Amino acid sequence: MSGVRVFIGAAYAGLFLCAASASAAVPLADEPSWESEDEDYATGGVLWDLDGDGYVDLVVGNGNDMDKERDAVYYNRRGELEREASWRSADLGYDGHVDAGDVDGDGDLDVVVTGFLAPHLEQLYRNDDGLLTPYPVWTNADEDDSFACALGDVDGDGDLDLATISGYFRPGPVRVYENDRGALEKHASWYTPKSYDANDVAWCDVDGDGDLDLAIAGHGEPCYLFENEGGVLAKAPSWRTSLVAEFNQLTFGDINGDGWRDMVVSDNSGGRVLLYINKNGTLRAEFNWSAPIRYASCVKLADVDGDGDLDLAAGGWWSPVQVYENAGGKLGAAPAWSYYPAAKALVCEQAVWGDVDNDGLRFVTTDRYDGDGARKLWYLEHVPVHAFGYVRVDGRTLEPDEFCFHPEDGWVSFARAPRAGRGNVEFGYIYSTDLDLVVTNWDEPAGSFLFENTRGGAVQISGFVVLPGDGGLTAKWTVRVGAPKLSGFNLYRRRVDVGGHRAPLVRVNDALITSSTSSFAYTDVRVVGGATYDYWLEARLTGGETETFGPKRGWVRKTTFVLSQNYPNPARTSTTIPFSLEHPADVSLVLYDLAGRRVATLFEGFAYVGGNEVRADVSRLPPGVYVYRLEAASGTAAKKMVIAR
């Protein structure tokens, strides 16, 4: 937010002429590895994979209170952000902060941008096949000077509602626009009877009761918390800070590792960032830690050094962007990393964490929780989420409209509470231990910055490709000689539908993929002719650690008739035989011995267009080599299988 900041900036622009200073404990580069070339008044920012290619894109809200501008998306081209945004909104606005979430429940993330000055509109840009609509598909009808917004499931119905605040120039009510079957209401049905002067808003389950409470950062007021009880949000605050200040931004995370989410806020007028500890579900009214930053503006928590606790990125207007390292549950008194450009000014509006170059990814399959028939909200163990693999309840993979989630905050909210069961709620997702830092900046010459994380991983691979093979796709890759403690690889696949987000990540291999040399290969036969797939490699180390690489995309050749190799092969008790048809037809699948004698009819009947699978019980057949033969109107094909004991 600017206000009269151009004048203030001129007064202090010469005070920070130092270059970056880095600590080995905070593995960020000394200088930006990327800078946008669009001279926008960049304000809000989020990193998320909009186009479904496995790489996070940068979404920026532009304009602030200085000029009407177009919002922007810098797409990630296989590890490198565009320097000039290839998507621009068709409409202009004095736009502030942004948030991203699957508002319409179709499996990809839409973008919400706040309108700061007239026409005061909050805008929702729908994601269609990885590209945002040029004009917003929704705007609100309540005119507020809204600088920030937050998506969250206030009523626990599994879809995303929108919270907004007003302030800085004109106070207004805190508002929540509820989501009804994928559409936000035009007028907020929940709003506070009192007007507040606020600069930021955030959702967090502060008291740990399984629903999202709402916090706001006051401007010339305290910070407030509105408690949620069973999906009903109180209209009067249940908690406030004892300090009254011009707070600018707030963020939540468990800093001290006690299981409760603490709050960090920027005190713009006091020139400092403040930590409020959460004690057993109640935030302290007095701050427990502070650090000086002139005109403190942005704050964002993440594990930058990969040691399992949350570090703090913070910045100010005409001030450095800094990282305070978390050691043993305590933030350092002085920054462990800092940057301020020598040749230009820096106004830090938003700090954003994300793995832009995909060099520190991890695939998690161990986040499991016990359903109790009542709880709908769970937090994941690692944030931010780079990509979702699957959400399962009782072994069933849920569709996107059965839950909602927030990639930065790391919570998932279900439309229906999972029944009571042990470990029956499962989350598979990708996160990173090598987070890069993006800072949005609007001071002239404007340009947002990316600071690369230099931490890296233990395993290095090269030549990872996915190529069409015999009835499937073959993944190939090479590992550097002497890779430490490598046990082998798992290969994961996601079918790329329209938009690239709907299909879950599934493991392709049954046993760990190993090799006696540095070269690896695996053929995936469980694919459909004419389909497109993304593949991820997961390296498993002997100590239990994992590292993930990808994605790499492969296209299956479209054929009229394909019979694929059975798996597993050799088979022991059962095996699966895939085949593809271009048109639906009656087919027969028969098993023969090598003498040509019919042994069994495995399937006879109607099969659908595309991929089909027949699961065959071979437990009663003697070991040996057999031939299975597929017959249909469009052709005949046969392959050998081995049965072993």
Side-chain angles (χ1 to χ4, degrees):
M1 183 180 305
S2 66
V4 294
R5 290 177 295 176
V6 174
F7 173 76
I8 296 174
Y12 291 101
L15 295 182
F16 299 100
L17 299 179
C18 57
S21 61
S23 164
V26 176
L28 291 177
D30 291 346
E31 296 288 334
S33 59
W34 171 89
E35 183 176 348
S36 62
E37 295 179 357
D38 299 316
E39 295 188 358
D40 298 320
Y41 291 110
T43 304
V46 294
L47 282 168
W48 184 255
D49 181 12
L50 291 182
D51 54 6
D53 66 351
Y55 290 83
V56 292
D57 309 301
L58 176 62
V59 184
V60 180
N62 293 316
N64 212 294
D65 63 343
M66 289 162 284
D67 195 7
K68 284 186 177 182
E69 292 188 333
R70 305 181 193 278
D71 304 313
V73 175
Y74 298 87
Y75 280 98
N76 190 332
R77 305 305 183 190
R78 298 287 164 175
E80 293 186 5
L81 292 173
E82 302 170 322
R83 292 188 180 272
E84 294 182 355
S86 60
W87 180 90
R88 289 277 183 173
S89 61
D91 58 322
L92 296 163
Y94 294 98
D95 292 339
H97 284 273
V98 303
D99 203 357
D102 185 7
V103 175
D104 53 7
D106 65 350
D108 51 27
L109 264 69
D110 314 298
V111 172
V112 180
V113 184
T114 58
F116 192 21
L117 298 176
H120 309 288
L121 295 177
E122 272 66 83
Q123 307 121 53
L124 171 66
Y125 298 92
R126 188 180 63 236
N127 190 336
D128 288 336
D129 301 341
L131 190 66
L132 299 180
T133 53
Y135 288 95
V137 299
W138 171 90
T139 56
N140 65 338
D142 302 312
E143 291 194 357
D144 292 325
D145 289 326
S146 185
F147 190 59
C149 63
L151 289 164
D153 186 7
V154 63
D155 47 8
D157 61 354
D159 56 27
L160 290 172
D161 312 300
L162 177 67
T164 65
I165 47 85
S166 186
Y168 199 79
F169 289 125
R170 181 178 60 165
V174 183
R175 302 183 192 271
V176 176
Y177 297 86
E178 292 192 11
N179 189 331
D180 183 14
R181 291 173 292 183
L184 296 173
E185 56 192 0
K186 296 287 287 185
H187 287 279
S189 58
W190 184 95
Y191 53 91
T192 57
K194 175 186 173 182
S195 290
Y196 293 88
D197 195 344
N199 284 339
D200 199 15
V201 59
W203 296 99
C204 180
D205 185 7
V206 173
D207 51 11
D209 62 351
D211 47 36
L212 292 170
D213 310 302
L214 189 64
I216 66 171
H219 177 255
E221 297 194 42
C223 292
Y224 297 100
L225 182 71
F226 298 86
E227 189 175 0
N228 190 336
E229 286 291 339
V232 179
L233 194 63
K235 292 193 174 185
S238 59
W239 173 90
R240 68 192 66 197
T241 57
S242 59
L243 178 67
V244 175
E246 292 182 2
F247 297 108
N248 198 65
Q249 201 170 105
L250 51 80
T251 188
F252 285 91
D254 183 7
I255 298 231
N256 55 10
D258 64 353
W260 301 95
R261 284 164 182 80
D262 313 302
M263 183 178 76
V264 178
V265 299
S266 58
D267 175 6
N268 187 262
S269 57
R272 53 188 174 172
V273 289
L274 308 171
L275 166 64
Y276 290 84
I277 291 293
N278 186 335
K279 185 68 172 178
N280 299 325
T282 302
L283 291 168
R284 298 272 181 89
E286 304 287 340
F287 62 85
N288 303 84
W289 170 92
S290 69
I293 295 181
R294 187 183 297 273
Y295 302 122
S297 55
C298 62
V299 286
K300 187 64 69 174
L301 292 164
D303 182 10
V304 62
D305 49 10
D307 63 354
D309 53 31
L310 294 176
D311 312 296
L312 173 66
W317 304 335
W318 303 284
S319 297
V321 55
Q322 301 174 339
V323 175
Y324 294 86
E325 185 191 3
N326 188 336
K330 295 182 179 179
L331 295 175
W337 177 91
S338 180
Y339 173 80
Y340 195 85
K344 59 184 293 185
L346 174 62
V347 174
C348 304
E349 281 289 352
Q350 181 68 61
V352 194
W353 294 104
D355 191 347
V356 173
D357 50 7
N358 282 16
D359 63 347
L361 302 182
R362 305 290 185 270
F363 186 31
V364 177
T365 59
T366 55
D367 270 20
R368 299 183 180 181
Y369 302 91
D370 298 339
D372 60 6
R375 177 176 283 269
K376 294 182 176 181
L377 182 83
W378 276 271
Y379 276 89
L380 304 175
E381 291 186 11
H382 305 281
V383 293
V385 177
H386 185 88
F388 250 115
Y390 57 79
V391 177
R392 293 179 185 148
V393 176
D394 296 325
R396 183 178 71 87
T397 301
L398 301 190
E399 293 296 326
D401 59 357
E402 295 183 89
F403 66 94
C404 61
F405 70 98
H406 198 279
E408 274 195 340
D409 297 340
W411 51 258
V412 181
S413 182
F414 293 93
R416 291 177 294 277
R419 69 173 184 84
R422 186 174 180 82
N424 63 329
V425 181
E426 304 173 67
F427 302 106
Y429 60 96
I430 295 171
Y431 77 103
S432 178
T433 60
D434 193 295
L435 293 171
D436 309 306
L437 177 63
V438 171
V439 180
T440 62
N441 160 60
W442 57 252
D443 200 359
E444 296 181 0
S448 299
F449 298 109
L450 166 68
F451 300 92
E452 185 178 358
N453 193 314
T454 59
R455 185 167 177 266
V459 178
Q460 294 181 12
I461 70 168
S462 61
F464 181 24
V465 294
V466 178
L467 303 171
D470 181 19
L473 289 170
T474 299
K476 296 181 178 181
W477 65 97
T478 302
V479 179
R480 70 173 186 183
V481 177
K485 302 179 181 179
L486 177 64
S487 297
F489 288 90
N490 287 318
L491 185 64
Y492 290 87
R493 172 196 66 207
R494 184 202 299 274
R495 181 169 177 176
V496 181
D497 292 333
V498 175
H501 297 270
R502 281 195 167 274
L505 271 174
V506 296
R507 195 174 76 177
V508 172
N509 54 299
D510 296 313
L512 205 62
I513 304 169
T514 59
S515 174
S516 59
T517 69
S518 61
S519 297
F520 291 75
Y522 189 90
T523 299
D524 179 14
V525 298
R526 287 172 267 188
V527 293
V528 177
T532 302
Y533 297 89
D534 279 340
Y535 286 85
W536 305 76
L537 272 178
E538 179 190 58
R540 298 198 68 86
L541 307 183
T542 54
E545 301 91 348
T546 64
E547 296 183 6
T548 304
F549 305 89
K552 292 295 181 179
R553 182 157 291 184
W555 295 266
V556 185
R557 294 191 184 103
K558 188 170 184 179
T559 59
T560 57
F561 185 83
V562 175
L563 176 64
S564 299
Q565 187 64 51
N566 66 299
Y567 65 90
N569 187 39
R572 297 185 182 276
T573 59
S574 65
T575 190
T576 300
I577 302 172
F579 62 91
S580 294
L581 302 176
E582 189 175 37
H583 304 288
D586 289 320
V587 302
S588 66
L589 185 62
V590 180
L591 188 67
Y592 299 88
D593 62 19
L594 290 183
R597 293 185 293 263
R598 181 189 290 255
V599 175
T601 298
L602 303 178
F603 177 79
E604 194 168 50
F606 182 80
Y608 293 93
V609 64
N612 295 270
E613 288 187 341
V614 172
R615 186 173 178 84
D617 181 3
V618 296
S619 60
R620 298 182 181 181
L621 295 178
V625 180
Y626 295 81
V627 175
Y628 56 95
R629 181 182 177 89
L630 179 67
E631 294 185 357
S634 55
T636 301
K639 285 186 177 292
K640 290 182 180 180
M641 77 162 62
V642 178
I643 298 177
R645 295 288 183 262

